[in-house]
Amino acid sequence: MPDDTPGSAPTDTPRRRIRILADLTPLRTSADYRRLWIGNTVSWTGQAMTALAISLQVYEITGSSFSVGLVGLFSLVPLVVFGLYGGAIADTVDRRKLGLYASTGMCLLSFALAAAAITERHSVWFLYAIVALQALCQAIISPARTSMIPRLLPPEQLPAANALGSMTTTSGMMAGPMLGGLVVGVWGFQAAYLIDALAFTAALYAMWRLPSMKPDRSEDSRKRRASVLDGLRFLATRPNLRMTFFSDLCAMVLAHPRAVLPAVAVVWFHGDATTTGLLVGALAVGALLGGVFSGWLGRVHRHGLAIVLAVVGWGGFIAAFGLTRQLWLGMLCLALAGASDTISMVFRSTMLQAATPDEMRGRLQGVFIVVVAGGPRLGDFLAGSVADLTSPTVAITGGGLACMAAVGLLALKWRRFLRYDARAPQP
Protein backbone atom coordinates (compact mmCIF):
# COMPACT_ATOMS: atom_id res chain seq x y z
CA MET A 1 0.00 0.00 0.00
CA PRO A 2 1.21 3.55 -0.62
CA ASP A 3 2.68 5.39 2.35
CA ASP A 4 0.37 8.33 3.16
CA THR A 5 2.26 9.55 6.23
CA PRO A 6 3.33 13.20 6.29
CA GLY A 7 6.67 13.79 4.65
CA SER A 8 6.62 10.53 2.70
CA ALA A 9 7.70 10.70 -0.95
CA PRO A 10 4.82 10.62 -3.43
CA THR A 11 4.41 7.34 -5.26
CA ASP A 12 4.69 9.00 -8.68
CA THR A 13 8.10 10.57 -8.02
CA PRO A 14 9.85 8.48 -10.73
CA ARG A 15 7.39 9.83 -13.31
CA ARG A 16 8.12 13.41 -12.28
CA ARG A 17 11.86 12.98 -12.45
CA ILE A 18 13.43 14.83 -15.36
CA ARG A 19 14.78 12.31 -17.84
CA ILE A 20 18.39 12.87 -18.90
CA LEU A 21 19.45 9.78 -20.83
CA ALA A 22 17.88 8.87 -24.17
CA ASP A 23 14.21 7.93 -23.95
CA LEU A 24 13.86 4.25 -24.93
CA THR A 25 10.06 4.28 -24.83
CA PRO A 26 9.70 3.80 -28.63
CA LEU A 27 11.82 0.65 -28.44
CA ARG A 28 9.68 -0.73 -25.62
CA THR A 29 6.23 0.11 -26.96
CA SER A 30 6.53 -0.83 -30.65
CA ALA A 31 8.03 -4.13 -31.75
CA ASP A 32 7.91 -2.98 -35.38
CA TYR A 33 9.86 0.19 -34.60
CA ARG A 34 12.32 -1.79 -32.46
CA ARG A 35 13.09 -4.18 -35.33
CA LEU A 36 13.38 -1.28 -37.77
CA TRP A 37 15.77 0.59 -35.47
CA ILE A 38 17.96 -2.46 -34.83
CA GLY A 39 18.05 -3.34 -38.51
CA ASN A 40 18.93 0.23 -39.46
CA THR A 41 21.64 0.42 -36.79
CA VAL A 42 23.32 -2.78 -37.97
CA SER A 43 23.04 -1.96 -41.67
CA TRP A 44 24.21 1.64 -41.21
CA THR A 45 27.40 0.42 -39.54
CA GLY A 46 27.91 -2.02 -42.40
CA GLN A 47 27.45 0.75 -44.97
CA ALA A 48 30.02 2.96 -43.24
CA MET A 49 32.42 0.02 -43.16
CA THR A 50 31.93 -0.62 -46.88
CA ALA A 51 32.37 3.09 -47.70
CA LEU A 52 35.83 3.04 -46.15
CA ALA A 53 36.70 -0.28 -47.80
CA ILE A 54 35.76 1.10 -51.24
CA SER A 55 37.92 4.19 -50.67
CA LEU A 56 40.85 2.01 -49.64
CA GLN A 57 40.38 -0.27 -52.65
CA VAL A 58 40.17 2.66 -55.07
CA TYR A 59 43.43 4.02 -53.67
CA GLU A 60 45.07 0.60 -53.90
CA ILE A 61 44.08 0.34 -57.58
CA THR A 62 44.91 3.91 -58.64
CA GLY A 63 47.29 5.35 -56.06
CA SER A 64 45.43 8.64 -56.55
CA SER A 65 43.76 10.74 -53.88
CA PHE A 66 41.77 12.46 -56.63
CA SER A 67 40.30 9.09 -57.63
CA VAL A 68 39.32 8.50 -54.01
CA GLY A 69 37.65 11.92 -53.95
CA LEU A 70 35.55 10.92 -56.95
CA VAL A 71 33.92 8.23 -54.76
CA GLY A 72 32.13 10.99 -52.87
CA LEU A 73 31.01 12.63 -56.11
CA PHE A 74 29.60 9.40 -57.53
CA SER A 75 27.70 8.96 -54.26
CA LEU A 76 26.45 12.53 -53.90
CA VAL A 77 25.02 13.09 -57.40
CA PRO A 78 22.53 10.15 -57.40
CA LEU A 79 21.54 10.92 -53.82
CA VAL A 80 20.67 14.53 -54.67
CA VAL A 81 19.15 13.84 -58.08
CA PHE A 82 17.02 10.88 -57.06
CA GLY A 83 16.24 11.96 -53.49
CA LEU A 84 13.22 13.97 -54.61
CA TYR A 85 11.96 11.19 -56.88
CA GLY A 86 12.44 8.60 -54.15
CA GLY A 87 10.16 10.67 -51.94
CA ALA A 88 7.51 10.85 -54.68
CA ILE A 89 7.63 7.08 -55.12
CA ALA A 90 7.26 6.63 -51.36
CA ASP A 91 4.05 8.68 -51.50
CA THR A 92 2.62 6.47 -54.26
CA VAL A 93 3.30 2.82 -53.40
CA ASP A 94 3.41 0.61 -50.32
CA ARG A 95 6.38 1.97 -48.36
CA ARG A 96 7.06 -1.42 -46.82
CA LYS A 97 7.52 -3.05 -50.21
CA LEU A 98 9.57 -0.14 -51.49
CA GLY A 99 11.89 -0.39 -48.49
CA LEU A 100 12.11 -4.15 -48.90
CA TYR A 101 13.10 -3.88 -52.57
CA ALA A 102 15.66 -1.14 -51.94
CA SER A 103 17.20 -3.06 -49.02
CA THR A 104 17.43 -6.15 -51.21
CA GLY A 105 19.22 -4.08 -53.84
CA MET A 106 21.73 -2.78 -51.29
CA CYS A 107 22.36 -6.32 -50.07
CA LEU A 108 22.94 -7.63 -53.62
CA LEU A 109 25.34 -4.77 -54.37
CA SER A 110 27.44 -5.71 -51.34
CA PHE A 111 27.52 -9.33 -52.53
CA ALA A 112 28.62 -8.06 -55.97
CA LEU A 113 31.48 -6.14 -54.34
CA ALA A 114 32.51 -9.25 -52.41
CA ALA A 115 32.37 -11.45 -55.54
CA ALA A 116 34.53 -9.01 -57.49
CA ALA A 117 37.08 -8.86 -54.66
CA ILE A 118 37.17 -12.66 -54.31
CA THR A 119 37.73 -13.15 -58.06
CA GLU A 120 40.30 -10.32 -58.06
CA ARG A 121 38.45 -8.24 -60.66
CA HIS A 122 39.94 -4.89 -59.78
CA SER A 123 38.19 -2.15 -61.73
CA VAL A 124 37.84 1.36 -60.37
CA TRP A 125 34.90 2.06 -62.70
CA PHE A 126 33.10 -0.99 -61.36
CA LEU A 127 33.51 0.44 -57.86
CA TYR A 128 32.23 3.85 -59.00
CA ALA A 129 29.18 2.19 -60.56
CA ILE A 130 28.43 0.25 -57.36
CA VAL A 131 28.75 3.43 -55.29
CA ALA A 132 26.31 5.24 -57.59
CA LEU A 133 23.79 2.38 -57.42
CA GLN A 134 24.10 2.24 -53.64
CA ALA A 135 23.31 5.96 -53.47
CA LEU A 136 20.32 5.40 -55.75
CA CYS A 137 18.96 2.69 -53.43
CA GLN A 138 19.63 4.94 -50.44
CA ALA A 139 17.71 7.78 -52.09
CA ILE A 140 14.73 5.44 -52.45
CA ILE A 141 14.80 3.73 -49.07
CA SER A 142 15.43 6.76 -46.83
CA PRO A 143 12.16 8.67 -47.52
CA ALA A 144 10.16 5.45 -47.26
CA ARG A 145 11.76 4.37 -43.99
CA THR A 146 11.49 7.80 -42.33
CA SER A 147 7.86 8.18 -43.45
CA MET A 148 7.00 4.92 -41.70
CA ILE A 149 7.94 6.12 -38.22
CA PRO A 150 4.86 8.35 -37.62
CA ARG A 151 2.70 5.35 -38.55
CA LEU A 152 4.43 3.17 -35.95
CA LEU A 153 4.57 5.58 -33.00
CA PRO A 154 2.31 8.21 -31.38
CA PRO A 155 3.31 11.88 -31.94
CA GLU A 156 4.65 12.36 -28.42
CA GLN A 157 7.27 9.63 -29.02
CA LEU A 158 8.66 11.12 -32.26
CA PRO A 159 11.38 13.27 -30.61
CA ALA A 160 12.66 10.21 -28.75
CA ALA A 161 12.58 8.13 -31.95
CA ASN A 162 14.51 10.78 -33.88
CA ALA A 163 17.08 11.04 -31.09
CA LEU A 164 17.56 7.28 -31.27
CA GLY A 165 17.91 7.61 -35.03
CA SER A 166 20.64 10.21 -34.60
CA MET A 167 22.51 7.79 -32.35
CA THR A 168 22.27 5.14 -35.06
CA THR A 169 23.75 7.46 -37.67
CA THR A 170 26.52 8.89 -35.50
CA SER A 171 27.60 5.63 -33.89
CA GLY A 172 27.59 3.92 -37.29
CA MET A 173 29.78 6.62 -38.81
CA MET A 174 32.18 6.30 -35.88
CA ALA A 175 32.30 2.50 -35.54
CA GLY A 176 31.91 1.58 -39.22
CA PRO A 177 35.21 3.05 -40.50
CA MET A 178 37.14 1.63 -37.54
CA LEU A 179 35.70 -1.84 -38.16
CA GLY A 180 36.25 -1.45 -41.89
CA GLY A 181 39.92 -0.61 -41.47
CA LEU A 182 40.40 -3.52 -39.07
CA VAL A 183 38.60 -6.07 -41.24
CA VAL A 184 40.33 -4.99 -44.46
CA GLY A 185 43.69 -5.06 -42.74
CA VAL A 186 43.20 -8.57 -41.33
CA TRP A 187 40.99 -10.39 -43.85
CA GLY A 188 40.85 -8.22 -46.95
CA PHE A 189 38.22 -6.29 -48.91
CA GLN A 190 36.03 -9.31 -49.58
CA ALA A 191 35.49 -9.89 -45.86
CA ALA A 192 34.32 -6.30 -45.31
CA TYR A 193 31.86 -6.53 -48.21
CA LEU A 194 30.51 -9.90 -47.06
CA ILE A 195 29.97 -8.61 -43.52
CA ASP A 196 28.06 -5.63 -44.95
CA ALA A 197 25.87 -7.93 -47.05
CA LEU A 198 25.07 -10.06 -44.02
CA ALA A 199 24.36 -6.94 -41.97
CA PHE A 200 21.64 -5.99 -44.46
CA THR A 201 19.71 -9.13 -43.58
CA ALA A 202 18.74 -7.38 -40.32
CA ALA A 203 17.20 -4.52 -42.31
CA LEU A 204 15.50 -6.96 -44.67
CA TYR A 205 13.99 -8.88 -41.76
CA ALA A 206 12.73 -5.66 -40.14
CA MET A 207 11.07 -4.54 -43.39
CA TRP A 208 9.57 -7.98 -44.01
CA ARG A 209 7.90 -8.03 -40.56
CA LEU A 210 6.26 -4.61 -40.98
CA PRO A 211 2.58 -4.29 -41.85
CA SER A 212 1.49 -2.76 -45.15
CA MET A 213 2.43 0.94 -45.30
CA LYS A 214 0.41 2.41 -48.14
CA PRO A 215 0.28 6.24 -48.03
CA ASP A 216 -2.89 7.68 -46.53
CA ARG A 217 -3.94 9.60 -49.65
CA SER A 218 -7.11 11.63 -50.17
CA GLU A 219 -9.69 10.62 -52.76
CA ASP A 220 -8.54 13.33 -55.19
CA SER A 221 -4.85 12.53 -54.86
CA ARG A 222 -5.44 8.84 -55.57
CA LYS A 223 -6.52 9.77 -59.10
CA ARG A 224 -3.04 11.01 -60.01
CA ARG A 225 0.52 9.92 -59.39
CA ALA A 226 2.38 11.69 -56.58
CA SER A 227 4.41 14.51 -58.15
CA VAL A 228 7.69 16.05 -57.05
CA LEU A 229 6.33 19.45 -58.10
CA ASP A 230 3.24 18.97 -55.93
CA GLY A 231 5.52 18.35 -52.97
CA LEU A 232 7.56 21.47 -53.68
CA ARG A 233 4.37 23.54 -54.08
CA PHE A 234 3.13 22.20 -50.75
CA LEU A 235 6.42 23.13 -49.09
CA ALA A 236 6.34 26.63 -50.63
CA THR A 237 3.04 27.36 -48.85
CA ARG A 238 4.02 25.94 -45.45
CA PRO A 239 6.29 28.46 -43.69
CA ASN A 240 7.02 26.37 -40.59
CA LEU A 241 8.21 23.37 -42.60
CA ARG A 242 10.12 25.63 -44.96
CA MET A 243 11.96 27.18 -42.02
CA THR A 244 13.25 23.77 -40.90
CA PHE A 245 15.18 23.57 -44.18
CA PHE A 246 16.33 27.20 -44.13
CA SER A 247 17.67 26.86 -40.59
CA ASP A 248 19.67 23.76 -41.50
CA LEU A 249 21.11 25.48 -44.58
CA CYS A 250 22.21 28.39 -42.36
CA ALA A 251 24.21 25.97 -40.23
CA MET A 252 25.60 23.64 -42.89
CA VAL A 253 26.39 26.15 -45.65
CA LEU A 254 27.57 29.15 -43.64
CA ALA A 255 29.28 27.45 -40.66
CA HIS A 256 30.59 24.06 -41.74
CA PRO A 257 34.31 23.98 -40.86
CA ARG A 258 35.22 20.45 -42.04
CA ALA A 259 37.17 21.53 -45.13
CA VAL A 260 39.39 23.83 -43.05
CA LEU A 261 40.17 21.37 -40.24
CA PRO A 262 43.30 19.84 -41.87
CA ALA A 263 44.82 23.32 -42.19
CA VAL A 264 43.99 24.49 -38.68
CA ALA A 265 45.31 21.22 -37.23
CA VAL A 266 48.75 22.16 -38.55
CA VAL A 267 48.71 25.97 -38.34
CA TRP A 268 46.88 26.49 -35.05
CA PHE A 269 47.62 23.33 -33.08
CA HIS A 270 50.97 22.33 -34.66
CA GLY A 271 49.67 18.83 -35.27
CA ASP A 272 49.25 16.39 -38.14
CA ALA A 273 46.65 14.01 -39.57
CA THR A 274 46.03 12.60 -36.10
CA THR A 275 45.09 16.06 -34.85
CA THR A 276 42.67 16.43 -37.76
CA GLY A 277 41.12 13.12 -36.77
CA LEU A 278 40.69 14.36 -33.20
CA LEU A 279 38.88 17.49 -34.40
CA VAL A 280 36.57 15.57 -36.72
CA GLY A 281 36.00 13.02 -33.97
CA ALA A 282 35.09 15.75 -31.49
CA LEU A 283 32.16 16.80 -33.70
CA ALA A 284 31.00 13.19 -33.96
CA VAL A 285 31.36 12.50 -30.24
CA GLY A 286 29.41 15.64 -29.42
CA ALA A 287 26.64 14.62 -31.81
CA LEU A 288 26.52 11.15 -30.25
CA LEU A 289 26.37 12.55 -26.71
CA GLY A 290 23.59 14.85 -27.84
CA GLY A 291 21.59 11.73 -28.63
CA VAL A 292 22.64 9.81 -25.52
CA PHE A 293 21.54 12.66 -23.24
CA SER A 294 18.35 13.46 -25.16
CA GLY A 295 15.77 12.32 -22.63
CA TRP A 296 14.70 15.88 -21.84
CA LEU A 297 13.84 16.70 -25.46
CA GLY A 298 10.44 15.03 -25.16
CA ARG A 299 9.37 17.68 -22.63
CA VAL A 300 10.00 20.53 -25.10
CA HIS A 301 6.93 21.64 -27.08
CA ARG A 302 8.19 24.86 -28.71
CA HIS A 303 10.08 23.05 -31.44
CA GLY A 304 10.59 26.08 -33.68
CA LEU A 305 12.19 28.09 -30.89
CA ALA A 306 14.34 25.08 -29.94
CA ILE A 307 15.60 24.76 -33.54
CA VAL A 308 16.55 28.44 -33.73
CA LEU A 309 18.38 28.28 -30.38
CA ALA A 310 20.18 25.08 -31.40
CA VAL A 311 21.33 26.58 -34.72
CA VAL A 312 22.45 29.76 -32.92
CA GLY A 313 24.34 27.48 -30.52
CA TRP A 314 25.98 25.66 -33.43
CA GLY A 315 27.08 28.95 -34.99
CA GLY A 316 28.30 30.32 -31.66
CA PHE A 317 30.40 27.27 -30.82
CA ILE A 318 31.88 27.20 -34.34
CA ALA A 319 32.72 30.91 -34.06
CA ALA A 320 34.36 30.28 -30.68
CA PHE A 321 36.35 27.38 -32.16
CA GLY A 322 37.76 29.80 -34.74
CA LEU A 323 39.25 31.89 -31.93
CA THR A 324 40.83 29.02 -29.96
CA ARG A 325 44.47 28.04 -30.12
CA GLN A 326 44.40 25.26 -27.52
CA LEU A 327 43.52 21.81 -28.79
CA TRP A 328 41.42 20.72 -25.80
CA LEU A 329 39.36 23.90 -25.93
CA GLY A 330 38.87 23.60 -29.67
CA MET A 331 37.68 20.02 -29.29
CA LEU A 332 35.26 21.10 -26.55
CA CYS A 333 33.79 23.79 -28.82
CA LEU A 334 33.36 21.30 -31.66
CA ALA A 335 31.77 18.72 -29.34
CA LEU A 336 29.25 21.30 -28.10
CA ALA A 337 28.54 22.27 -31.72
CA GLY A 338 27.91 18.60 -32.55
CA ALA A 339 25.47 18.26 -29.66
CA SER A 340 23.65 21.41 -30.82
CA ASP A 341 23.35 19.94 -34.31
CA THR A 342 21.76 16.78 -32.91
CA ILE A 343 19.17 18.82 -31.00
CA SER A 344 18.34 20.78 -34.15
CA MET A 345 18.06 17.59 -36.20
CA VAL A 346 15.73 15.91 -33.69
CA PHE A 347 13.24 18.78 -33.71
CA ARG A 348 13.48 19.40 -37.45
CA SER A 349 12.75 15.74 -38.17
CA THR A 350 9.91 15.69 -35.66
CA MET A 351 8.28 18.75 -37.22
CA LEU A 352 8.51 17.22 -40.69
CA GLN A 353 6.89 14.01 -39.48
CA ALA A 354 4.19 15.52 -37.26
CA ALA A 355 3.11 18.57 -39.30
CA THR A 356 3.14 16.93 -42.74
CA PRO A 357 0.14 14.94 -44.07
CA ASP A 358 0.99 11.29 -44.62
CA GLU A 359 0.50 11.59 -48.38
CA MET A 360 3.27 14.25 -48.50
CA ARG A 361 5.77 12.78 -46.02
CA GLY A 362 7.82 10.90 -48.57
CA ARG A 363 8.33 13.93 -50.80
CA LEU A 364 9.33 16.21 -47.94
CA GLN A 365 11.72 13.56 -46.67
CA GLY A 366 13.18 13.54 -50.17
CA VAL A 367 13.79 17.29 -49.88
CA PHE A 368 15.33 16.61 -46.46
CA ILE A 369 17.81 14.17 -48.05
CA VAL A 370 18.82 16.70 -50.69
CA VAL A 371 19.39 19.43 -48.09
CA VAL A 372 21.28 17.15 -45.68
CA ALA A 373 23.45 15.73 -48.47
CA GLY A 374 24.04 18.94 -50.39
CA GLY A 375 24.30 21.53 -47.60
CA PRO A 376 27.57 20.30 -46.02
CA ARG A 377 29.19 19.94 -49.47
CA LEU A 378 28.34 23.56 -50.28
CA GLY A 379 29.63 24.47 -46.83
CA ASP A 380 32.93 22.70 -47.54
CA PHE A 381 33.32 24.66 -50.78
CA LEU A 382 32.47 28.00 -49.13
CA ALA A 383 34.71 27.50 -46.10
CA GLY A 384 37.63 26.29 -48.19
CA SER A 385 37.30 29.20 -50.63
CA VAL A 386 37.07 31.84 -47.89
CA ALA A 387 40.02 30.31 -46.02
CA ASP A 388 42.19 30.45 -49.17
CA LEU A 389 41.15 34.04 -49.97
CA THR A 390 41.46 35.34 -46.39
CA SER A 391 42.37 33.06 -43.47
CA PRO A 392 41.00 30.03 -41.59
CA THR A 393 39.94 32.34 -38.74
CA VAL A 394 37.79 34.45 -41.04
CA ALA A 395 36.29 31.33 -42.64
CA ILE A 396 35.39 29.65 -39.34
CA THR A 397 34.57 32.51 -36.99
CA GLY A 398 33.02 34.61 -39.74
CA GLY A 399 30.95 31.63 -40.84
CA GLY A 400 29.70 30.98 -37.32
CA LEU A 401 28.68 34.60 -36.86
CA ALA A 402 27.02 34.65 -40.30
CA CYS A 403 25.04 31.52 -39.33
CA MET A 404 23.81 33.16 -36.13
CA ALA A 405 22.84 36.36 -37.94
CA ALA A 406 21.09 34.55 -40.80
CA VAL A 407 18.94 32.29 -38.65
CA GLY A 408 18.13 35.23 -36.37
CA LEU A 409 16.92 37.33 -39.32
CA LEU A 410 14.85 34.41 -40.64
CA ALA A 411 13.26 33.93 -37.22
CA LEU A 412 12.36 37.63 -37.07
CA LYS A 413 10.78 37.43 -40.52
CA TRP A 414 8.75 34.27 -39.73
CA ARG A 415 7.94 34.75 -36.06
CA ARG A 416 5.20 32.18 -36.30
CA PHE A 417 7.97 29.57 -36.41
CA LEU A 418 9.06 30.58 -32.91
CA ARG A 419 5.50 30.00 -31.66
CA TYR A 420 5.21 26.50 -33.17
CA ASP A 421 3.75 24.12 -30.56
CA ALA A 422 4.17 20.37 -30.98
CA ARG A 423 0.85 19.81 -29.19
CA ALA A 424 -0.96 21.48 -32.11
CA PRO A 425 1.41 21.09 -35.10
CA GLN A 426 0.88 23.53 -37.96
CA PRO A 427 2.92 23.24 -41.16
Side-chain angles (χ1 to χ4, degrees):
M1 293 181 64
D3 185 1
D4 295 326
T5 58
S8 63
T11 57
D12 62 345
T13 298
R15 294 184 181 179
R16 294 182 180 178
R17 186 180 305 153
I18 297 177
R19 186 187 296 271
I20 299 297
L21 296 178
D23 185 358
L24 304 182
T25 302
L27 298 176
R28 292 195 296 265
T29 59
S30 173
D32 287 328
Y33 174 79
R34 182 169 62 249
R35 284 189 292 265
L36 192 65
W37 183 81
I38 293 173
N40 191 34
T41 300
V42 173
S43 63
W44 190 267
T45 302
Q47 290 174 66
M49 183 172 63
T50 289
L52 178 72
I54 289 176
S55 295
L56 293 173
Q57 191 173 8
V58 168
Y59 187 78
E60 183 178 275
I61 294 171
T62 65
S64 166
S65 296
F66 175 76
S67 298
V68 176
L70 286 178
V71 173
L73 182 63
F74 277 96
S75 174
L76 175 63
V77 172
L79 198 61
V80 171
V81 171
F82 292 99
L84 296 175
Y85 291 98
I89 296 171
D91 284 340
T92 304
V93 302
D94 186 337
R95 290 163 180 161
R96 170 189 173 272
K97 290 183 179 179
L98 184 62
L100 194 59
Y101 296 152
S103 295
T104 301
M106 295 283 280
C107 185
L108 292 176
L109 289 171
S110 294
F111 275 120
L113 284 169
I118 291 171
T119 58
E120 298 185 352
R121 296 182 181 273
H122 303 305
S123 168
V124 68
W125 287 105
F126 171 77
L127 295 175
Y128 288 156
I130 292 293
V131 165
L133 290 173
Q134 286 177 330
L136 175 60
C137 291
Q138 190 65 36
I140 292 174
I141 192 175
S142 291
R145 184 167 51 204
T146 309
S147 301
M148 294 175 184
I149 296 176
R151 300 275 291 272
L152 299 175
L153 298 170
E156 63 270 15
Q157 292 184 20
L158 292 180
N162 288 315
L164 291 170
S166 75
M167 292 170 61
T168 289
T169 304
T170 309
S171 61
M173 294 304 294
M174 291 174 63
M178 290 189 294
L179 290 174
L182 177 63
V183 170
V184 169
V186 176
W187 294 295
F189 298 111
Q190 62 271 24
Y193 299 142
L194 283 172
I195 291 173
D196 183 26
L198 294 175
F200 264 107
T201 59
L204 284 170
Y205 176 74
M207 288 287 180
W208 179 68
R209 289 292 303 274
L210 288 173
S212 176
M213 287 279 179
K214 293 182 179 180
D216 185 14
R217 305 180 68 186
S218 64
E219 190 66 33
D220 291 338
S221 65
R222 290 195 190 101
K223 298 176 182 178
R224 61 182 187 276
R225 180 175 293 274
S227 164
V228 173
L229 290 178
D230 286 344
L232 294 176
R233 291 190 192 101
F234 174 84
L235 181 60
T237 58
R238 302 303 191 275
N240 284 337
L241 296 180
R242 199 167 59 243
M243 262 294 289
T244 64
F245 295 110
F246 287 162
S247 61
D248 188 49
L249 288 173
C250 288
M252 294 297 103
V253 176
L254 298 176
H256 197 254
R258 182 175 59 189
V260 192
L261 293 182
V264 303
V266 175
V267 177
W268 293 355
F269 304 119
H270 310 292
D272 51 17
T274 302
T275 309
T276 304
L278 290 174
L279 296 174
V280 175
L283 274 169
V285 169
L288 179 61
L289 291 177
V292 171
F293 296 100
S294 62
W296 58 277
L297 299 182
R299 302 173 65 89
V300 177
H301 302 298
R302 299 283 293 279
H303 289 184
L305 178 60
I307 291 170
V308 169
L309 292 176
V311 174
V312 168
W314 163 273
F317 290 126
I318 294 298
F321 169 71
L323 300 175
T324 60
R325 296 299 182 268
Q326 292 181 306
L327 182 58
W328 71 269
L329 186 56
M331 291 175 63
L332 176 61
C333 289
L334 290 176
L336 292 172
S340 299
D341 187 48
T342 293
I343 294 170
S344 168
M345 186 281 300
V346 167
F347 289 125
R348 285 186 290 109
S349 298
T350 301
M351 285 183 65
L352 279 178
Q353 292 165 341
T356 305
D358 187 64
E359 63 178 329
M360 286 287 179
R361 281 182 182 139
R363 277 165 284 187
L364 263 63
Q365 289 299 329
V367 177
F368 185 84
I369 290 174
V370 172
V371 170
V372 169
R377 271 74 176 186
L378 290 174
D380 287 343
F381 175 76
L382 180 61
S385 300
V386 172
D388 279 347
L389 293 172
T390 56
S391 69
T393 300
V394 172
I396 296 175
T397 298
L401 295 175
C403 165
M404 297 170 69
V407 76
L409 290 173
L410 288 172
L412 288 175
K413 181 175 178 58
W414 286 292
R415 298 188 182 186
R416 177 182 168 192
F417 184 70
L418 299 176
R419 297 192 296 271
Y420 177 92
D421 193 324
R423 292 166 293 192
Q426 295 293 326

